[in-house]
Amino acid sequence: MTVAVVGIGRTEYLKRSGRTTKAMAASACRDALADAGLTIADVDGMCTFQANDSSSPMDVAWALGRDELAWANSMYGGGNLVADQIATAAAVIEAGLCKAVLVYRSLNGRSGYRFGTIEGPMQVTGENQYDVASGYLVPPQWFAMSARRHQYRYGSTCEDLGQIAITQRAHAVPNEHAFYREPLTMDDYLSSRWINEPFHLYDCTSEVDGAVAILLVGEDMVRDCKTEPVWLVGSSNSQSGAGWSSWDDPTEMYSRTAGPKIWANTGLNPSDMDFACMYDCFTYTVMATMEGFGFCEKGQVGPFFAEGRATYGGDIVINPHGGLLSEGYIHGLNHHYESTLQLRGNAGVRQVADAKVALVTAGGGPYGGANIYSKERP
Amino acid sequence: MTDARLLPPIPVPDPESAGYWESLSTGVFALSRCTECHRWMQVPQEHCRWCGATTSFEEVSGRGTVFSFIVVRHQSIPSLTPPYVVGMIEFDEQPGLRLTGIIEADPDAVAIGQKVQAIIRPIGESGFSAPSFELVP
């Protein structure tokens, strides 16, 4: 059975929500249901991904007035799981286990638990324990380490990373939902403080409080919805246990596998994409994955952005909403909100002309995946 | 009394990592190695991830190369005061055998490809020790 996104919902993205993750998730889910013209009674599955920082599908369903769910899945992890969440929700529908699934992500990412904020005495278990003495325990360090290797091997520069930050910020300027909307210049970028060299402040995503919900249904339910469906064409996924030290080549990411795989799965290629929402926890993630998904040769992403090929009027619009870097870090699920809005033709002043097909990626480093959505039924 | 929030992160040894931490506490830098195919692996595994044989901890030279590095300028880890350099070190024993550690050097002096030597340092007053690295000519 073919599966489509029929509803999207979200809260505001704020510094301090003053709400529970459950309440925000429920709001975003209500929003998505209203968008689709369905009710919670139509939904029999819910899933999310979290890092012990959110509310469970059962609790959110209960808050929405649903007593029981046929499928209530909560995966532990980060943005590497978003594509997998969408693909798995679709597979659950295709397998007949559910008719309608809400995928949500809700977090107080700024006012609550923040990635990269560690208070001692932190007791580190598992694969990360070997990095305690260097304190190499937070994403802005892991990704910076990889970016340095890319600079060494391919001659990419901080200015190249800056071009990504600047372009995405320009996209966010007209986006009323974006957390950061002030235009950014290369001078602003280069004079911003170092976080971990080679990363400046503007290489890092904007943590916010908020929630997004995406409602997927099978083709049999599409006609019951009031929205134009956005069809899921295909997905790919590649998750490695190499961690940050044993991943053989940090100038590449999961996209070296998930990229070729999604093109093979769908029979499409990068030039078929009208826009792409590239997962951008950091600027470098966009750089390495645009190479991996085949949009650019190694080392050419900086010039690609600098020459205007990644924006309106260029080859492909990358992150028309401003991405996680400027719109806010709802852990990548806001990419799916944006791609749906664009493919419906409802993105207002930032609408990508004639947008029909889009790639949405998720994750960075050794783990991640991607989905392709289409306006046309596959 | 020391503010507990300012103490350094400490490892929680498990059956696969205990040998690593025990060696370091006696001044020996040892990594997990297959007893059959003799390949090294970091992180340690109970059984070899390539051939499935048992593993043991064996002392390494501590010599390696800077594979990549960052200069930490923003404090996110208690007890470590920026700026400092974190290196990803690839050891001479085997390509791809890597571990991170503080490089005890001026940030401007560090470059990818430089040779380093491990030195074992205590992790605060936790009782644990771990390798740091110094540049060697």
Side-chain angles (χ1 to χ4, degrees):
Chain A
M1 183 185 299
T2 308
V3 172
V5 174
V6 293
I8 53 176
R10 63 185 176 185
T11 65
E12 283 187 280
Y13 305 155
L14 301 168
K15 275 190 175 167
R16 181 171 291 279
S17 70
R19 304 173 73 187
T20 63
T21 54
K22 175 163 60 72
M24 291 192 297
S27 284
C29 288
R30 279 194 187 94
D31 203 10
L33 289 164
D35 182 43
L38 298 179
T39 72
I40 188 65
D42 298 309
V43 173
D44 48 4
M46 288 178 67
C47 65
T48 194
F49 59 103
Q50 45 75 33
N52 291 337
D53 61 354
S54 196
S55 299
S56 76
M58 294 87 83
D59 290 343
V60 175
W62 184 263
L64 289 166
R66 183 86 159 123
D67 292 358
E68 294 164 303
L69 290 170
W71 187 59
N73 180 275
S74 178
M75 289 183 79
Y76 183 87
N80 59 310
L81 298 178
V82 190
D84 191 42
Q85 287 265 300
I86 297 289
T88 304
V92 162
I93 293 168
E94 285 162 1
L97 299 176
C98 289
K99 288 192 166 303
V101 175
L102 275 163
V103 181
Y104 68 86
R105 178 70 173 115
S106 179
L107 70 169
N108 281 317
R110 194 162 191 108
S111 68
Y113 169 76
R114 290 183 80 169
F115 281 110
T117 303
I118 288 168
E119 287 193 346
M122 185 195 190
Q123 301 202 349
V124 184
T125 60
E127 318 292 277
N128 289 330
Q129 64 183 287
Y130 308 96
D131 299 309
V132 289
S134 58
Y136 187 64
L137 297 167
V138 294
Q141 300 188 358
W142 302 333
F143 284 85
M145 185 77 83
S146 298
R148 171 89 70 183
R149 186 75 193 173
H150 193 283
Q151 295 185 349
Y152 170 79
R153 178 120 179 245
Y154 295 105
S156 60
T157 62
C158 287
E159 283 82 352
D160 291 341
L161 296 175
Q163 294 290 354
I164 297 168
I166 291 165
T167 302
Q168 292 196 190
R169 179 61 63 84
H171 294 170
V173 169
N175 177 3
E176 291 178 359
H177 216 81
F179 195 70
Y180 287 118
R181 300 180 61 193
E182 312 76 28
L184 192 67
T185 67
M186 185 59 82
D187 281 348
D188 295 335
Y189 170 83
L190 289 173
S191 62
S192 69
R193 64 189 166 91
W194 289 113
I195 300 299
N196 303 296
E197 290 180 42
F199 277 178
H200 289 88
L201 174 67
Y202 293 116
D203 289 305
C204 306
T205 186
S206 307
E207 293 155 301
V208 295
D209 293 1
V212 170
I214 305 293
L215 177 59
L216 294 138
V217 303
E219 57 186 329
D220 55 339
M221 266 182 83
V222 163
R223 72 180 76 89
D224 303 331
C225 302
K226 68 182 191 194
T227 45
E228 285 295 312
V230 168
W231 300 94
L232 181 64
V233 176
S235 303
S236 71
N237 197 25
S238 184
Q239 311 283 344
S240 170
W244 296 93
S245 294
S246 293
W247 178 250
D248 58 335
D249 185 359
T251 70
E252 299 184 312
M253 294 189 174
Y254 72 92
S255 48
R256 70 181 183 189
T257 306
K261 201 191 283 183
I262 202 162
W263 305 129
N265 287 350
T266 59
L268 298 167
N269 62 66
S271 66
D272 294 321
M273 301 298 111
D274 296 305
F275 67 94
C277 290
M278 302 300 291
Y279 191 81
D280 56 331
C281 48
F282 301 96
T283 50
Y284 175 63
T285 317
V286 176
M287 177 180 281
T289 58
M290 282 193 64
E291 294 167 347
F293 280 96
F295 291 106
C296 297
E297 295 297 316
K298 295 300 286 184
Q300 294 308 306
V301 173
F304 190 86
F305 276 79
E307 292 160 14
R309 297 173 65 187
T311 191
Y312 298 85
D315 297 20
I316 180 170
V317 183
I318 301 297
N319 291 332
H321 53 327
L324 311 177
L325 288 168
S326 286
E327 190 184 59
Y329 190 58
I330 310 293
H331 234 146
L333 200 58
N334 40 331
H335 278 2
H336 293 260
Y337 189 104
E338 175 70 8
S339 54
T340 304
L341 212 55
Q342 291 280 353
L343 291 170
R344 286 177 181 172
N346 287 346
V349 290
R350 66 174 190 282
Q351 180 64 46
V352 176
D354 300 322
K356 292 188 181 68
V357 189
L359 176 75
V360 185
T361 73
Y367 16 68
N371 311 105
I372 291 176
Y373 290 114
S374 170
K375 198 180 179 72
E376 315 272 321
R377 191 182 179 288
Chain B
M1 192 176 152
T2 311
D3 186 340
R5 290 171 303 174
L6 303 178
L7 294 173
I10 53 169
V12 180
D14 57 47
E16 287 181 306
S17 70
Y20 175 84
W21 297 113
E22 283 163 13
S23 293
L24 285 165
S25 69
T26 63
V28 174
F29 180 27
L31 294 175
S32 177
R33 190 178 197 187
C34 178
T35 58
E36 289 291 331
C37 74
H38 305 298
R39 273 179 280 197
W40 301 90
M41 60 210 85
Q42 168 53 29
V43 304
Q45 306 287 347
E46 181 188 76
H47 286 81
C48 177
R49 69 179 292 265
W50 290 285
C51 78
T54 56
T55 61
S56 64
F57 283 94
E58 284 188 38
E59 187 170 9
V60 289
S61 64
R63 286 192 294 274
T65 305
V66 177
F67 180 77
S68 191
F69 71 99
I70 55 174
V71 183
V72 177
R73 299 275 182 191
H74 170 83
Q75 181 149 23
S76 46
I77 305 297
S79 82
L80 291 170
T81 307
Y84 60 92
V85 181
V86 177
M88 185 176 288
I89 307 304
E90 184 156 310
F91 296 106
D92 289 356
E93 275 76 5
Q94 182 177 295
L97 183 69
R98 299 184 202 133
L99 186 69
T100 66
I102 302 285
I103 299 179
E104 298 181 1
D106 184 273
D108 293 335
V110 181
I112 289 178
Q114 280 177 318
K115 298 292 177 193
V116 295
Q117 173 67 50
I119 29 175
I120 297 172
R121 301 288 194 205
I123 303 176
E125 292 172 10
S126 66
F128 290 101
S129 293
S132 287
F133 299 90
E134 54 187 11
L135 301 176
V136 294

